Amino acid sequence: MTKFKYLFLMICVGFFTLTSCEKDFLDTEPARSISADQVARTPAATTAIVRGIYANLRSFGVGNPARVDVDYGQKGFMAMTDMMAQDIVLNNFNWYIFLYNYNGRQQTSSRTNIVWNTYYTAIADANSVINGLQERTDRTDEENALLGQALAIKGLSLFNLVRVYAHTYIGHESDPGVPIPDRIDLEGKGRGTVQDVYDQIIPDLEQALTLLDGFSRTTKQEIDKSVVHGFLANVYLETGNWQLAADNAAAARASYNLMPGASYATDGFDDINNVEWMWGADIDNESSTTFISFFSHFDSSAGGYGGIGFGLGYKIIDARLYDMIPDTDLRKAAWVAPGDTSSPYPELTNTKFIDGTGVFEGDYSYMRASEMYLVEAEAKARLGDATAADVLFEIVSNRDPGYVRSTSTGDALVEEIYLQRRIELWGEGVSWFDLKRLKKPLDRSGTGSNHRSFGLVDIDVEGDFFRMQIPQGELNSNPNLNAGDQNP
């Protein structure tokens, strides 16, 4: 079965007919074929829709037009935004190049279309559950859990969309946001404001918390209360509600442990059973998208597009960031040291992500408890809470035995936490959003940079390039959007 599936996919890639192959790898029917009335009457259909959304968030082709480098759901989205930041260096002109050099943000690019379609598809599917269950007063516990998951998925999807197509929340509350569909047919809406979007996101996530109280999931592929706390922690960090960011981050990580520090550089980040993984995808023979996958592009040892097999695009750490990692930090071993002639990879190439299965069945991490430590620490630092340094010490001392508890406060402590975010969460989909949220420039050409000539893009604080353009197809088909609604 595995051999036949891999062969079929290779045929698809070889003849450039990826879009015609995509349906063979989706294991769910579109929820939009199921009415809200059917949802209300058939709990099994509701369960199938929610499972289908999770499947789509790890599948190839949902973004349409299908692309080998980014169109594999949530993990593809995390990878593509990281490639637009400065901590990852692309070693040659190949996959991800049009994200790396920012041509992929343009309205005619398939990349901006993929982000738009992936999350508006998830919203439409979630709305089919929400519209069918929201107003019912006789919901079972199971239906409450399904409704909670649907609301959480919608909240996350809108959060991802508004951060891509608009500037950060603070200072831009009245700027154009993104459309907020309330039906399942993707009918066109206007952009509204950034504030409008967050006024939808936050109540949806808060309601999801209530609905998921007492829900015990059977797999980390499902969203439970801890994951929703994680979503809210990031949303409140974005909006500057420091106390609620800290509270939710603490609640999110409460039931998870940190993995041993030495495991950071050796674990591979490919197993959903890792003690600090909060939410992810369990990839197996049936769900693997083989070459069109995260590990195909980010595992330097793999036979995929970004690995030693093709060698088309090693993911390398920015030399300036690498130099800021203390030698006592166990995480530093996750990249090839300069001058290491024993490595088959170029210096500073990442060895953080390794698919131990060898057949592109490594699991995907979407959220880890370590991120929540850093959210909590930053929020408390901004509140002037002295325990911020304690939270930071707890995670960093786990990774760096030589780390000494910080005596910094205020902005200096926030900057120290930001550095730890860059190191800890390298390649995990936060770096571009941190540049936007913290109102920092994109600096690839500064002294000590090892970014290649084809990627020497610098962007001023809150420059136009920090927003993707709305897809041209949406402008053409949505009567409530026009050329004047487009990002510069």
Side-chain angles (χ1 to χ4, degrees):
M1 176 67 180
T2 304
K3 292 180 179 178
F4 283 118
K5 186 176 76 169
Y6 290 179
L7 177 61
F8 179 68
L9 180 59
M10 292 175 71
I11 290 171
C12 292
V13 174
F15 287 96
F16 300 97
T17 57
L18 293 173
T19 54
S20 66
C21 302
E22 67 185 61
K23 290 184 180 178
D24 295 86
F25 296 93
L26 300 181
D27 53 10
T28 178
E29 293 209 2
R32 291 165 302 288
S33 65
I34 302 173
S35 70
D37 183 61
Q38 287 175 299
V39 168
R41 289 185 287 106
T42 55
T46 311
T47 301
I49 294 169
V50 174
R51 289 178 179 173
I53 300 172
Y54 290 132
N56 282 349
L57 288 178
R58 56 164 167 72
S59 294
F60 165 65
V62 178
N64 189 30
R67 288 203 54 82
V68 171
D69 48 351
V70 293
D71 193 5
Y72 47 93
Q74 174 71 9
K75 197 66 174 176
F77 170 77
M78 295 165 72
M80 69 187 292
T81 55
D82 262 351
M83 294 307 302
M84 297 171 70
Q86 68 189 42
D87 291 339
I88 297 179
V89 174
L90 189 62
N91 77 311
N92 64 31
F93 195 100
N94 217 285
W95 294 115
Y96 291 103
I97 181 59
F98 295 116
L99 292 163
Y100 189 58
N101 68 14
Y102 275 79
N103 285 326
R105 69 169 288 275
Q106 298 174 3
Q107 63 193 43
T108 54
S109 172
S110 60
R111 285 101 181 148
T112 186
N113 203 68
I114 285 167
V115 175
W116 192 271
N117 285 346
T118 294
Y119 290 108
Y120 276 116
T121 296
I123 290 170
D125 292 347
N127 275 340
S128 68
V129 175
I130 295 166
N131 293 342
L133 295 179
Q134 183 79 278
E135 302 305 319
R136 277 186 40 196
T137 58
D138 61 342
R139 292 190 304 266
T140 64
D141 289 344
E142 180 183 3
E143 287 170 330
N144 278 335
L146 291 168
L147 177 57
Q149 290 171 75
L151 287 164
I153 290 163
K154 182 177 181 179
L156 173 68
S157 297
L158 284 171
F159 186 48
N160 286 342
L161 288 163
V162 75
R163 290 188 297 163
V164 166
Y165 296 100
H167 286 310
T168 190
Y169 175 88
I170 297 176
H172 297 280
E173 296 89 338
S174 299
D175 287 4
V178 293
I180 307 172
D182 56 7
R183 296 175 56 81
I184 63 174
D185 55 10
L186 294 179
E187 66 178 14
K189 303 285 185 182
R191 290 189 70 173
T193 66
V194 169
Q195 184 69 62
D196 291 335
V197 181
Y198 282 89
D199 285 347
Q200 180 74 51
I201 293 170
I202 292 173
D204 280 354
L205 292 179
E206 292 287 3
Q207 185 184 5
L209 270 187
T210 300
L211 290 165
L212 290 169
D213 192 29
F215 168 64
S216 180
R217 61 185 177 178
T218 58
T219 168
K220 288 184 181 180
Q221 295 189 100
E222 297 176 301
I223 293 170
D224 68 357
K225 192 172 181 178
S226 70
V227 177
V228 179
H229 275 302
F231 293 164
L232 279 167
N234 280 318
V235 169
Y236 284 128
L237 194 69
E238 188 89 15
T239 57
N241 192 325
W242 313 127
Q243 189 62 61
L244 287 179
D247 292 346
N248 276 280
R253 69 176 177 87
S255 59
Y256 300 89
N257 296 314
L258 288 170
M259 63 182 175
S263 297
Y264 187 95
T266 61
D267 176 80
F269 289 84
D270 68 338
D271 187 356
I272 199 169
N273 295 309
N274 184 302
V275 294
E276 67 177 51
W277 284 29
M278 297 172 59
W279 182 43
D282 189 355
I283 307 299
D284 58 18
N285 169 257
E286 293 303 315
S287 58
S288 172
T289 50
T290 58
F291 289 102
I292 309 161
S293 65
F294 178 77
F295 286 104
S296 173
H297 289 283
F298 275 73
D299 179 356
S300 304
S301 70
Y305 294 115
I308 201 167
F310 290 103
L312 297 179
Y314 290 120
K315 309 306 180 293
I316 296 171
I317 190 172
D318 186 312
R320 298 165 295 181
L321 175 58
Y322 181 84
D323 289 343
M324 287 190 281
I325 305 175
D327 290 340
T328 54
D329 195 322
L330 299 169
R331 295 172 295 189
K332 199 163 188 174
W335 297 275
V336 177
D340 183 356
T341 58
S342 66
S343 174
Y345 318 119
E347 66 178 35
L348 301 183
T349 296
N350 101 87
T351 56
K352 174 179 177 178
F353 302 109
I354 302 293
D355 174 18
T357 72
V359 288
F360 303 111
E361 293 177 15
D363 300 335
Y364 291 166
S365 169
Y366 300 151
M367 181 184 290
R368 295 192 294 124
S370 55
E371 180 183 0
M372 295 298 109
Y373 279 87
L374 295 166
V375 171
E376 182 183 353
E378 180 182 337
K380 286 184 171 181
R382 293 184 182 279
L383 288 167
D385 186 334
T387 64
D390 296 328
V391 176
L392 183 63
F393 180 78
E394 188 173 349
I395 179 172
V396 180
S397 63
N398 173 279
R399 301 337 194 194
D400 180 0
Y403 180 73
V404 177
R405 183 186 181 279
S406 178
T407 57
S408 298
T409 58
D411 290 343
L413 181 55
V414 170
E415 283 300 306
E416 184 176 339
I417 294 164
Y418 173 54
L419 173 60
Q420 292 301 329
R421 285 177 66 88
R422 294 175 68 189
I423 299 168
E424 177 69 25
L425 302 173
W426 187 94
E428 297 185 59
V430 302
S431 56
W432 191 61
F433 296 119
D434 273 353
L435 290 176
K436 297 181 65 170
R437 178 177 64 84
L438 298 170
K439 299 184 179 180
K440 293 179 177 292
L442 177 69
D443 171 20
R444 291 186 182 161
S445 64
T447 302
S449 170
N450 56 331
H451 282 274
R452 308 318 195 224
S453 59
F454 50 79
L456 287 180
V457 178
D458 290 341
I459 306 174
D460 292 335
V461 172
E462 299 190 326
D464 290 337
F465 274 26
F466 274 128
R467 291 172 291 172
M468 279 189 166
Q469 290 192 302
I470 295 171
Q472 184 63 53
E474 183 69 18
L475 293 178
N476 293 342
S477 62
N478 186 341
N480 290 307
L481 291 178
N482 55 55
D485 293 311
Q486 181 61 281
N487 291 329

